[in-house]
Amino acid sequence: MQQSLQKTSVGLEQATIGFAGDSGDGMQLVGTEFANTSASFGNDISTFPDFPAEIRAPAGTLAGVSGFQIQFSSNDIFTPGDALNALVAMNPAALKLRIGDLEPDGILIVNSDSFTQRDLLKAGCTSNPLEDGSLKGFRVISVSMTSLNRQAVASCKLSGSEADRCKNFFSLGLVYWLYERSLTNTERWISQKFGKKPAIEQANLLALRAGYNYGETCELLPAHYRVAKAHLPPGTYRKMTGNQAIALGLVAATTQLGKSMVYSGYPITPASDILHHLCEMRHFGVYALQAEDEIAAVGMAIGAAFGGQIGVTATSGPGICLKAEGVSLAVMTELPVVIIDVQRGGPSTGLPTKTEQADLLQALYGRHGECPVAVLAPRSPGDCFYMAIEAVRIATRFMTPVYLLSDGYLANSSEPWRIPDVAELPKMSVTHPTTFNQDGKYMPYLRDERLVRPWAIPGTPDLEHRIGGIEKQDVTGDINYEPANHEHMVRTRAQKIANIADEIPLLEVTGSPDAELLVLGWGGTYGSILTAVQRCRSRGLKVAQAHLRYLNPFPKNLEEVLRRFPKILVPELNAGQLCHELRAKYLVPAVSLSKVQGQPFLTHEIERKIESMVVAESTDLAKLHAEWQALGLSEQEMVARYSQWTERPVDVREFADAVRKLG
């Protein structure tokens, strides 16, 4: 007791922790429990689970490392953090893979029992890092976690392997003590999860408490840390991942419409969880089906839409390839189908558990013929809820397939999400014709002012009609091979998609009103971009930010926004696909910041690029302008040299603005 009284409590605004171990060590579980506890306490949180790319990589190897990172804060945060303040490494492979993420003088908690010669060999270590001095820049807490855990659970009479599976809770208890977290929520979860297996329940509880008590008594931990509650807007909150949010958003939308939903999917990482969540929502009129393959899944969704219900299918990149012909059929028949693509690293099987944004061009153009669809992208786990609703709204209002581009990072990450009042949800409705509409006949392609055709439910008396994949005659829907009609229908379908721009929000720009640089992103890069821009602006850099959630069509004011800024930076987790689109469509000098590593952007990666485009150029221009003035150059001569220096055409007005901003 005297020992614990001597330990100090240090207040922090925020902290970032990483849990890493073998895929069988339960790192995702303890990371999730720490996140749940922090969220319940009132912290703002952002998490990033990182799974091995193989289903069961060899134990103890680098390929088998599973990790979970969480940032929790007393302020608003938008990313799971860059550098770790503390790292829990359960074996040498986890240490080797994640030690580069730990800040200098950071806390490193290691399970010393796992650093045997055999473990070191499997991780590719030539020496023991606990003994060779390579960790001298960190505060190393070496804990005989396996043996201490076995002692703690000995009374439960478990087998050796069963006892060892509890050591993740020992590590969690230790970290709970370190950051002044209560054990209550996790104790309740353990009892609910393992209540039917009393020995397992008791062992996990004992392991959790043993880890916490170790922190109380261990002389190697002279302090623990407190992160105060965040000041979040009033409301009821829950922790939400992107996949959970998509499932709830789909249910909210179909309920608003008074429709049933047919969700058909084929298991694929990282989209499968959407199917899992929807299987639990049958009481909301959800028919969740596991199809035999991706082609069947999109076919079921199209059939549901033809029958007057909401057809939805979800997959990841390889599945989108297989669904392409079905999506083309939905375009030709003009049926409302929602296709969710939880993007992952590719090509082929690629990196099935890692994130990427490389399916944008596939969503825009990856079908044969002129085959336009609407394309949306949520920007955060919570935003997945609202963009799922928006996907259903646009699909039913414009009778078109809609792609919703999530990604592996959004799918598995979590954040506190304020549960909305039902009255706050978008008002949605759909009308099905019940009578014929021209000359005693039903005309399935007779369009309204938005070029949208009616949605008649099969079996409605007098409204028999033909749809299919062969080109239609406009208005009547009869098969038609005439060249002029085909071009008319192609352009009509394209214009219908373009008309969506009239009913989506304009692009908002935040940041410095006189910024010389616009950072434009899309999808799950939002948090990293926002944090980087905020940090740069706090240092006086003139930077603005905009984020696209609507990718086809673009917001109507996108070109006007782009023309306001002399420089544009486009960070993407691909080789520059959105940047390519912007340069091709608007002829703007957009610069790509590309990352294709299966990992989300770190804030400092974007921050450094912003600095290189703003600070360095401003400094250099100031120096050059002074030199040009000393040489007595005319303004026209200066503009010519400035154009040569920037490697792009610059007019007199832009040059004058650049000089004026230098003060």
Side-chain angles (χ1 to χ4, degrees), residues 351-477:
L351 305 173
T353 62
K354 310 300 181 181
T355 193
E356 205 163 277
Q357 290 182 299
D359 294 350
L360 175 58
L361 294 183
Q362 182 176 206
L364 292 173
Y365 304 115
R367 294 161 298 281
H368 66 283
E370 296 290 338
C371 196
V373 299
V375 181
L376 315 179
R379 68 185 189 183
S380 67
D383 192 43
C384 288
F385 173 83
Y386 295 101
M387 293 309 284
I389 294 175
E390 183 71 343
V392 174
R393 183 189 75 85
I394 290 176
T396 54
R397 182 156 174 77
F398 286 87
M399 291 295 286
T400 180
V402 176
Y403 272 102
L404 183 63
L405 295 182
S406 179
D407 59 57
Y409 168 66
L410 291 179
N412 296 312
S413 297
S414 63
E415 64 180 3
W417 179 71
R418 188 180 70 84
I419 300 173
D421 190 299
V422 173
E424 300 174 2
L425 299 180
K427 300 298 184 289
M428 303 164 59
S429 63
V430 64
T431 302
H432 298 288
T434 56
T435 59
F436 54 78
N437 51 18
Q438 190 179 81
D439 299 330
K441 291 181 62 179
Y442 171 63
M443 299 295 177
Y445 287 84
L446 182 65
R447 303 175 187 277
D448 64 14
E449 68 280 0
R450 294 169 293 122
L451 301 181
V452 177
R453 80 171 188 87
W455 186 13
I457 297 177
T460 304
D462 300 322
L463 302 191
E464 294 84 358
H465 60 284
R466 176 191 295 113
I467 64 171
I470 300 177
E471 185 61 280
K472 304 291 175 291
Q473 181 178 331
D474 202 13
V475 182
T476 68

Side-chain angles (χ1 to χ4, degrees), residues 314-327:
T315 186
S316 297
I320 291 294
C321 300
L322 293 169
K323 294 181 189 294
E325 184 179 2
V327 177

Side-chain angles (χ1 to χ4, degrees), residues 259-277:
K259 291 283 186 181
S260 295
M261 173 175 48
V262 175
Y263 178 94
S264 51
Y266 182 76
I268 185 170
T269 301
S272 297
D273 273 349
I274 300 174
L275 175 60
H276 302 159
H277 293 307

Side-chain angles (χ1 to χ4, degrees), residues 40 49 182 299 308 325-326 337 350 385 486 520-521 575 581 617 621 630 655:
S40 298
S182 169
E325 184 179 2
V337 179
F385 173 83
H486 175 56
L520 179 66
E581 286 295 291
E617 185 166 322
L621 178 57
F655 177 73

